[in-house]
Amino acid sequence: MRDERTTRDGFRPAHARAAGCLAWLLVGFILFQAEVGRCASDARLLGQSAAAQLMQKKLYAEAARLLETDIRGVDEAEIGPQLLMLGECYYLQGQYGEARPWFLKAFQNLPYGKNKIVVQYRLAALAYRLSDTAEALKLTDAFVKEFPNDIRSGRLLILKMQLLAQGGAGAEPDVDAVRNQIAMGGGKYGAAISVAADKVLTDYYLANGYEEKAVNGYLGIVNNFRQAQVQFAQEKRAVPVDLEEAHDYAAMQLGMISIRAKREAEATKWLESVRFNTESVWKARL
C-alpha cells in the first residue's frame, strides 16, 4: 500500500485523482486488512500444524513452501483445507495471480460450508485485483444473491462501485444503483461499509464535476463516520486509521468548499473538525 501522503492533497489541482487514491486506500482496508484476522482462523483448520503456526505469525511465504511440500503427491480431494490455506498465503502477500489457482482447486475439493464460502469470496475479490472485469461482476452478483446479509457482500459491492465508477459520467446510474443497494441493507454491512460507499460515490462525483452531489457525499462520510465510531466502541476496537483519514479528508473538502463560497463560520467549523491525521490537521490550521 502506498503512503497516502504522496497521493492525497486537498489543495492540489489534481484533487480528483487524489480522491481516487484515497478511495483505494479505504477499500484496501475494507477488503484486505479486515481479512487478515480471518486468515488465522482458517489456519486453525489444520490445528497446530507447523504451517498453521507460521500463518498465525504472518509468515505466509514460509507457510506456503511448507504446505506445497506437504501436499506433493496427495490426492487433491483429500486436502481441501490445505489448498485453501495455500490460496490464503499467496493472497495475503498480494500475490493474486499465484493465489487464484489454489483457490480454484480448493473450491473444487471442499465440501459446502463456511470454508467454501471463504473461497467464493476470495475468487470474486481476486477477479477485481486481477482486472478480470466480467468475472468480477459475475462472481459479485452471485455471492451477493446467495449471501445478501454477509458483510463480505458489502465489501464486494464497494469494489463493484469502484469498477463501475471508472466508466465516467455515463456510469452515474449504475454507480448510484450499487450505492442504493448497500443503503437498502439497513445497516447490515456496518457503518464502515457505508463510509466506504459514500467515499467511492463522492470521489466519482468530484471526478466528474458534480460539486453539489460531492458535498452531499462528504456530509454522508462525516455522519457515517460518527456511526462507525459508535460501532467500533461497542465492539471495543480502535477505529481504523483509514476511516479516520476519510473523515478528515471529507471535512477538509467541506471546509475548502465553504471558503470558496465565502461562508467563513461554516468553513471554520469543518476545518476545526479535522483532527485525526497530523498532516491534515496542519493544513486545516493554515
Side-chain angles (χ1 to χ4, degrees):
M1 184 179 294
R2 293 177 294 179
D3 185 342
E4 80 286 355
R5 290 172 295 183
T6 67
T7 58
R8 191 183 87 251
D9 188 331
F11 300 102
R12 294 177 189 169
H15 58 282
R17 180 184 62 195
C21 293
L22 253 187
W24 271 114
L25 287 171
L26 183 56
V27 169
F29 163 74
I30 294 296
L31 178 69
F32 185 80
Q33 298 291 347
E35 292 300 309
V36 172
R38 187 184 300 274
C39 179
S41 175
D42 294 332
R44 286 194 285 272
L45 287 166
L46 294 186
Q48 292 303 309
S49 71
Q53 291 178 28
L54 288 170
M55 291 181 73
Q56 289 164 1
K57 295 176 182 177
K58 300 184 181 180
L59 299 174
Y60 304 124
E62 293 85 343
R65 285 194 292 270
L66 182 58
L67 283 164
E68 290 186 40
T69 299
D70 289 346
I71 68 172
R72 191 170 295 131
V74 181
D75 187 345
E76 290 181 351
E78 300 176 5
I79 53 171
Q82 289 94 327
L83 296 171
L84 168 57
M85 290 174 68
L86 268 165
E88 291 282 69
C89 286
Y90 285 110
Y91 183 90
L92 291 170
Q93 293 180 85
Q95 298 178 25
Y96 305 120
E98 290 81 356
R100 191 183 227 175
W102 295 112
F103 282 129
L104 287 170
K105 290 180 179 181
F107 184 79
Q108 293 166 357
N109 291 285
L110 281 169
Y112 185 82
K114 68 176 185 178
N115 295 319
K116 194 161 191 171
I117 296 170
V118 170
V119 175
Q120 288 177 258
Y121 169 67
R122 285 288 195 255
L123 287 171
L126 280 169
Y128 287 103
R129 299 284 188 179
L130 296 171
S131 300
D132 189 348
T133 301
E135 187 73 359
L137 295 176
K138 181 183 78 174
L139 293 178
T140 293
D141 290 344
F143 191 93
V144 173
K145 182 178 180 180
E146 189 170 358
F147 310 108
N149 297 319
D150 193 310
I151 192 171
R152 290 168 292 191
S153 290
R155 294 176 186 143
L156 292 176
L157 288 172
I158 293 291
L159 287 185
K160 183 177 181 179
M161 282 185 70
Q162 186 83 24
L163 178 63
L164 294 173
Q166 296 174 17
E172 183 178 359
D174 294 331
V175 177
D176 279 338
V178 181
R179 178 62 186 100
N180 290 336
Q181 186 177 1
I182 293 172
M184 288 173 63
K188 63 189 175 186
Y189 300 134
I193 293 292
S194 292
V195 170
D198 284 337
K199 184 68 177 69
V200 174
L201 185 61
T202 304
D203 290 340
Y204 169 78
Y205 288 145
L206 189 64
N208 288 280
Y210 304 125
E211 184 172 288
E212 184 176 347
K213 291 183 177 181
V215 167
N216 290 331
Y218 292 136
L219 290 171
I221 291 170
V222 172
N223 292 332
N224 280 321
F225 174 78
R226 292 167 182 161
Q227 296 176 30
Q229 284 182 304
V230 174
Q231 175 187 329
F232 281 99
Q234 290 173 343
E235 297 172 358
K236 297 182 178 179
R237 292 193 291 147
V239 177
V241 172
D242 293 306
L243 296 187
E244 293 179 337
E245 292 179 347
H247 167 275
D248 279 1
Y249 179 75
M252 177 79 76
Q253 292 300 319
L254 287 167
M256 296 307 298
I257 290 169
S258 298
I259 288 173
R260 290 197 294 271
K262 298 183 179 180
R263 298 191 296 267
E264 295 181 3
E266 186 177 315
T268 299
K269 178 190 74 172
W270 287 120
L271 294 176
E272 286 182 348
S273 72
V274 176
R275 60 186 183 277
F276 298 108
N277 178 269
T278 302
E279 183 182 354
S280 294
V281 170
W282 177 78
K283 288 177 180 177
R285 304 299 183 265
L286 287 176

